[in-house]
Amino acid sequence: MKAVVFDHHGGIEVLQYRDDLPIPEISPNEVLIEIKASALNYNDLWGREGVPGLEIIFPHINGTDASGIIKEVGSEVTNVKPGDEILVNGALSCGMCRQCLGGDDISCPNFLVWGFQTGPNDGAQADYAKVPAVNVVPKPANLSWEGAAAIGSALVTDWRMLVVKAGMKAGDLVMIWGAAGGLGSIAVQLCQAFNAIPIAIVNSEEKAELVSNLGVKHIINREKERISRKIQKLTDREGVDIVFEHPGNATWETSIHCLKWGGTLVTCGATTGFKTTMDIRFLWNKQQRYIGSHFGTTAELMDALKFVENGMIKPVINCELPLSDIAEGHRIMESGDVMGKVVMLPD
Ligand SMILES: [Zn+2]
């Protein structure tokens, strides 16, 4: 099969497009998928470059988001059959430990992000891929292959952050960093679906236009306006109910400043840096809550997809590229100028 593979860390030049890789062999609880589309995430860059303290298994095929057709099912699989159209939840857990049995799959000690921590040769950027059967869900009929690949991990991550962890409710003011990006563009729609009020932070007029087209009324272009002053004005000096964090170091302090007394900051990442400083008076005196969230369970993805099926949340696609042009996809992601998701299509 064809796939993009690399056998050591480095720049874009380590990505090899090859046509001589074996089709994965499935075990009794797995399914083989003919990939119709995959989508890029920041973990594709981290997998290629390497992350301190995290082992990447070589040879490595990146890719955590995929849509496709079930080609083959293992002997113990009952939830899908060959020919079914699916998308993948790339959050892999053992299904057998105390945490998994309690429904807390993401706290599983054996938790792995598919196409990032798995391997060798186990990810979405290929013609075929295998995953546990419990990690595929039916593709909503109103989504294209491209849309289904684009929405999976962003949707489930946002759902877990805002709905499950932060307890977002109608009327909440939610400040969203990177509102035109892969995560942010879904997060603003999720706010709207819950009758919460998104405040979109962007860094260009082009991105402001994208979120405006999604129906967002409160947009702050951080290149032109001081965020904390604008938030004070928008919230009558009270601050927002929820901050949707993921940049980390570059935004953390502003996030805390913009949060109201008793407000909730929820984060799923740190694309600008893992280490930061903070004034802990905000934690005890203002009684703010800072909570972490990671990916989401397959059940959470199923819950969230109902909002896609009824048209309330739509995928946002930056561009579609052939898999052989993966280097261009990485360049777009690295530029930081990505709006929505970069989708890769098998050649
Ligand atoms: Zn487990």
Side-chain angles (χ1 to χ4, degrees):
M1 68 170 184
K2 300 189 195 82
V4 176
V5 64
F6 52 98
D7 55 18
H8 59 281
H9 293 302
I12 286 165
E13 71 284 351
V14 304
L15 301 167
Q16 308 163 44
Y17 181 65
R18 283 172 48 181
D19 64 359
D20 59 347
L21 288 153
I23 292 175
E25 283 180 23
I26 58 171
S27 63
N29 288 310
E30 291 179 325
V31 295
L32 180 70
I33 306 160
E34 179 189 345
I35 303 288
K36 291 292 189 181
S38 59
L40 297 189
N41 291 289
Y42 277 100
N43 66 20
D44 294 320
L45 305 184
W46 300 333
R48 170 173 58 73
E49 292 162 356
V51 180
L54 192 133
E55 187 201 359
I56 298 295
I57 302 163
F58 296 122
H60 192 79
I61 295 175
N62 267 339
T64 303
D65 271 307
S67 62
I69 299 173
I70 300 287
K71 290 302 279 186
E72 199 184 314
V73 301
S75 57
E76 291 176 20
V77 172
T78 56
N79 61 328
V80 282
K81 59 184 187 310
D84 284 359
E85 300 186 350
I86 55 88
L87 64 115
V88 173
N89 176 30
L92 308 191
S93 58
C94 76
M96 289 178 278
C97 71
R98 171 73 183 77
Q99 285 81 356
C100 284
L101 293 172
D104 188 15
D105 308 33
I106 308 301
S107 300
C108 174
N110 302 305
F111 182 84
L112 294 172
V113 176
W114 177 59
F116 178 48
Q117 295 166 290
T118 60
N121 288 339
D122 189 25
Q125 289 158 17
D127 287 342
Y128 294 92
K130 66 173 173 66
V131 294
V134 293
N135 283 85
V136 299
V137 296
K139 178 179 84 64
N142 59 345
L143 283 187
S144 63
W145 295 118
E146 294 84 351
I151 208 162
S153 58
L155 178 66
V156 74
T157 300
D158 288 354
W159 179 272
R160 186 173 175 85
M161 287 175 77
L162 291 172
V163 180
V164 179
K165 292 283 189 172
M168 177 173 68
K169 59 187 189 308
D172 278 349
L173 285 159
V174 185
M175 176 171 140
I176 297 171
W177 289 104
L183 282 174
S185 58
I186 302 299
V188 296
Q189 296 180 74
L190 193 51
C191 289
Q192 292 162 334
F194 274 67
N195 287 322
I197 304 156
I199 301 174
I201 313 293
V202 295
N203 64 352
S204 72
E205 285 308 304
E206 208 184 352
K207 290 177 182 173
E209 194 185 330
L210 184 146
V211 290
S212 172
N213 290 337
L214 292 173
V216 179
K217 291 190 178 66
H218 304 300
I219 302 167
I220 304 176
N221 180 345
R222 62 184 167 92
E223 294 297 319
K224 287 185 169 174
E225 298 168 283
R226 233 179 101 193
I227 296 169
S228 46
R229 191 171 296 163
K230 188 77 187 285
I231 291 287
Q232 283 203 338
K233 207 169 152 194
L234 279 173
T235 64
D236 201 16
R237 302 181 70 82
E238 198 180 357
V240 299
D241 298 284
I242 297 172
V243 175
F244 177 89
E245 247 289 342
H246 52 100
N249 180 40
T251 56
W252 191 261
E253 217 171 333
T254 307
S255 292
I256 287 174
H257 270 283
C258 292
L259 194 59
K260 76 172 190 183
W261 289 59
T264 300
L265 180 156
V266 60
T267 183
C268 71
T271 49
T272 64
F274 304 130
K275 295 202 173 171
T276 189
T277 56
M278 59 175 282
D279 181 339
I280 59 172
R281 285 175 299 180
F282 289 88
L283 180 61
W284 57 263
N285 188 21
K286 289 196 170 184
Q287 299 168 72
Q288 295 176 338
R289 297 197 308 149
Y290 310 141
I291 57 179
S293 187
H294 187 43
F295 225 120
T297 68
T298 304
E300 287 161 357
L301 178 58
M302 292 164 105
D303 289 343
L305 280 171
K306 289 174 192 161
F307 290 80
V308 176
E309 282 158 10
N310 68 22
M312 293 172 89
I313 297 176
K314 295 185 174 70
V316 179
I317 294 176
N318 180 285
C319 61
E320 294 164 16
L321 297 167
L323 200 49
S324 54
D325 205 8
I326 190 91
E328 178 59 17
H330 278 235
R331 269 184 221 109
I332 293 168
M333 294 288 289
E334 280 179 337
S335 74
D337 255 341
V338 64
M339 297 199 290
K341 297 292 276 190
V342 175
V343 171
M344 307 303 306
L345 303 170
D347 290 50

